[in-house]
Amino acid sequence: MFLGCLGHRYTVFFDSFENLILNLLADERMSFGHRCFIHAPRLYLRTGLVNFGVPGIGKKDRLDTIEFERNLEDNLWELNQELVDKTYKHSGYSSFFVQDPKLRHIHKALVRDRVLHHAIVKHINPIFEKTFINDSYSCRKDKGTHRGVEQLIRYGRIVSKNNTRPCWILKCDIRKFFASVDQKILMDMVFERIRGIHTRRLLKEVISSFSSDRTVDPGEPKGLPIGNLTSQLFANVYLNELDQFMKHGLHEKHYIRYADDFVILHPQREHCFEIQDLIKDFLKDRLKLELHPNKITVRKLSQGVDFLGYICFPHFILPRIKTEKRIFAKIYSKIKSYNQGSLSYESLDHTIHSYMGILSHSNSFILQQDLENQIFFRLNKQ
């Protein structure tokens, strides 16, 4: 109750502060730094970064967030002053590895920087969103993996004319995409639509705050940190060049991309091989990227195509075998922790519902029944 009241107090404070600033500064004269700060406190509450019992994204109990909240007003005012004075400098990153399922090197920014990331994305995402193609499904509203899989099945019916002719699928993956993004090329793309001098300075500060191990020349830094919210947006901006080339250069009507994975559907097998060199040349010359040679496949949809965590067929969708094994293993681990008293029932329940949700998007009724039986058996095992 106390935390809820405290959260309400800060919400009222931030609302009053926002109204004051809006009355003092007209929108057309308001600097990007002012706009970012006006929304940063509200975003801090809404995204679950603040520990006031406000629903969020599950990050409110982490140590760095709790430490930031101990002097919340001072920290946010300090961030505000740096933005207003144009003296903001992005802090360094802490790094760690996660394996879900493949090993990824994550770089985590400080809380103050993550608050600003949310504000930046809130303001500049609408500028770029209208330039993206409809068949780009990564990190966009009303998109996502499940919508991407649905579109693959829909395009499969169109290309195969309701399964009366073959539907061939070229599937590609860009090698080490996030670590290979050329920052100069990215900034040129971003600055084509962002004209404000101060806004450009701030975006340049965020982009250049990181460089990957693929950077050879310090004067030509490469890489986006996996972990930044801004990296998701910048990845879509960068690969929008590829999307436009596919749709308007190669005239591929049935092209779908999710992050650095993409597929092209076509009735002719030869076509899937013919366009590979054109794609490789464009990626190399325009974006300084390359396809992963071991992840280029050409298969019939009727044979099953591995895409976004599912095996897609013309009439049904199955989860990957690896996904099935990982779901069972993780739920067994959570149940063991629950039985030992080190995990709450609410946490276990959330995990189970999350994985059931993943399976619900596939034709896996028998698998779901088996999983439910295993859960019941292990929870009641003495």
Side-chain angles (χ1 to χ4, degrees):
M1 182 66 182
F2 170 75
L3 292 178
C5 292
L6 189 57
H8 175 70
R9 168 197 159 196
Y10 274 99
T11 302
V12 172
F13 166 74
F14 293 142
D15 285 342
S16 301
F17 179 78
E18 178 174 348
N19 292 333
L20 173 63
I21 294 297
L22 289 175
N23 288 332
L24 291 174
L25 297 170
D27 284 341
E28 63 271 17
R29 292 185 288 118
M30 193 181 303
S31 71
F32 185 72
H34 278 105
R35 294 201 309 271
C36 278
F37 177 69
I38 287 171
H39 290 277
R42 296 170 64 86
L43 286 165
Y44 191 73
L45 286 167
R46 290 173 181 171
T47 56
L49 290 171
V50 67
N51 191 19
F52 292 142
V54 181
I57 55 177
K59 299 181 179 179
K60 59 189 176 63
D61 295 324
R62 296 181 181 174
L63 182 59
D64 57 346
T65 306
I66 294 173
E67 290 178 349
F68 187 84
E69 292 163 14
R70 291 174 62 184
N71 298 294
L72 181 61
E73 288 185 56
D74 292 340
N75 288 330
L76 291 176
W77 275 106
E78 180 182 354
L79 177 59
N80 167 59
Q81 198 60 46
E82 291 180 11
L83 292 171
V84 171
D85 295 341
K86 304 175 184 63
T87 59
Y88 170 80
K89 294 293 183 182
H90 199 287
S91 305
Y93 295 85
S94 58
S95 67
F96 54 93
F97 290 90
V98 297
Q99 190 156 5
D100 190 28
K102 66 180 181 180
L103 190 67
R104 297 184 185 276
H105 194 186
I106 307 299
H107 290 83
K108 180 180 177 182
L110 297 183
V111 176
R112 67 188 299 271
D113 298 316
R114 302 206 301 268
V115 171
L116 181 62
H117 295 169
H118 278 271
I120 288 174
V121 171
K122 177 181 174 64
H123 285 289
I124 71 171
N125 185 64
I127 297 173
F128 293 100
E129 178 65 29
K130 58 188 177 184
T131 70
F132 298 153
I133 65 171
N134 185 57
D135 287 321
S136 168
Y137 286 88
S138 173
C139 304
R140 297 175 63 195
K141 185 178 180 181
D142 297 325
K143 300 292 183 178
T145 56
H146 304 309
R147 296 287 176 87
V149 169
E150 291 171 2
Q151 185 72 318
L152 176 67
I153 300 299
R154 189 178 300 113
Y155 276 166
R157 287 196 294 266
I158 295 172
V159 171
S160 67
K161 293 187 175 180
N162 285 326
N163 304 306
T164 60
R165 67 178 183 180
C167 173
W168 292 91
I169 298 181
L170 167 64
K171 181 174 180 288
C172 301
D173 178 274
I174 298 175
R175 186 203 291 264
K176 295 186 179 298
F177 167 68
F178 280 96
S180 303
V181 170
D182 186 285
Q183 292 183 7
K184 183 180 183 304
I185 295 176
L186 173 61
M187 282 189 271
D188 288 342
M189 293 176 180
V190 172
F191 293 168
E192 283 182 9
R193 294 189 173 273
I194 303 296
R195 302 298 175 85
I197 296 176
H198 302 309
T199 306
R200 286 184 172 187
R201 188 201 70 80
L202 188 60
L203 293 176
K204 183 178 180 180
E205 177 65 29
V206 173
I207 293 173
S208 61
S209 65
F210 173 83
S211 63
S212 72
D213 55 7
R214 293 181 72 85
T215 299
V216 178
D217 182 355
E220 298 179 1
K222 293 180 180 292
L224 291 174
I226 300 177
N228 277 11
L229 180 64
T230 50
S231 295
Q232 299 171 7
L233 172 60
F234 291 146
N236 278 335
V237 172
Y238 202 78
L239 288 179
N240 186 48
E241 293 288 313
L242 173 64
D243 298 340
Q244 301 299 332
F245 173 71
M246 289 291 192
K247 291 289 188 179
H248 304 296
L250 298 181
H251 303 288
E252 296 295 337
K253 296 180 180 179
H254 307 111
Y255 160 82
I256 302 170
R257 181 181 64 81
Y258 184 95
D260 55 355
D261 293 324
F262 61 89
V263 293
I264 297 170
L265 293 79
H266 200 275
Q268 297 177 353
R269 180 176 181 270
E270 294 75 16
H271 179 80
C272 294
F273 288 97
E274 290 171 358
I275 63 173
Q276 289 184 29
D277 286 339
L278 297 175
I279 297 171
K280 291 176 182 177
D281 290 343
F282 177 83
L283 288 172
K284 179 181 178 181
D285 297 339
R286 179 68 182 95
L287 301 177
K288 297 185 179 179
L289 299 173
E290 58 180 341
L291 296 179
H292 197 301
N294 299 330
K295 295 184 179 180
I296 301 175
T297 61
V298 177
R299 292 174 62 89
K300 286 183 181 179
L301 180 58
S302 59
Q303 295 175 316
V305 175
D306 187 340
F307 187 55
L308 303 184
Y310 298 91
I311 308 298
C312 304
F313 293 87
H315 300 292
F316 58 94
I317 302 169
L318 297 176
R320 291 173 179 160
I321 298 297
K322 290 182 179 179
T323 301
E324 293 180 18
K325 292 180 179 179
R326 191 167 69 252
I327 287 175
F328 275 81
K330 288 197 172 184
I331 288 183
Y332 290 167
S333 176
K334 293 287 186 179
I335 291 175
K336 182 178 180 180
S337 298
Y338 171 73
N339 289 335
Q340 293 174 346
S342 58
L343 184 72
S344 68
Y345 175 81
E346 289 75 15
S347 179
L348 174 63
D349 188 54
H350 290 163
T351 298
I352 292 173
H353 277 84
S354 175
Y355 286 123
M356 285 297 185
I358 293 173
L359 296 178
S360 70
H361 291 275
S362 62
N363 303 93
S364 55
F365 176 78
I366 295 177
L367 178 63
Q368 292 180 58
Q369 291 293 304
D370 183 29
L371 181 58
E372 289 177 1
N373 290 336
Q374 290 292 326
I375 291 171
F376 178 81
F377 171 75
R378 288 174 181 267
L379 283 175
N380 292 278
K381 184 178 179 180
Q382 299 297 330

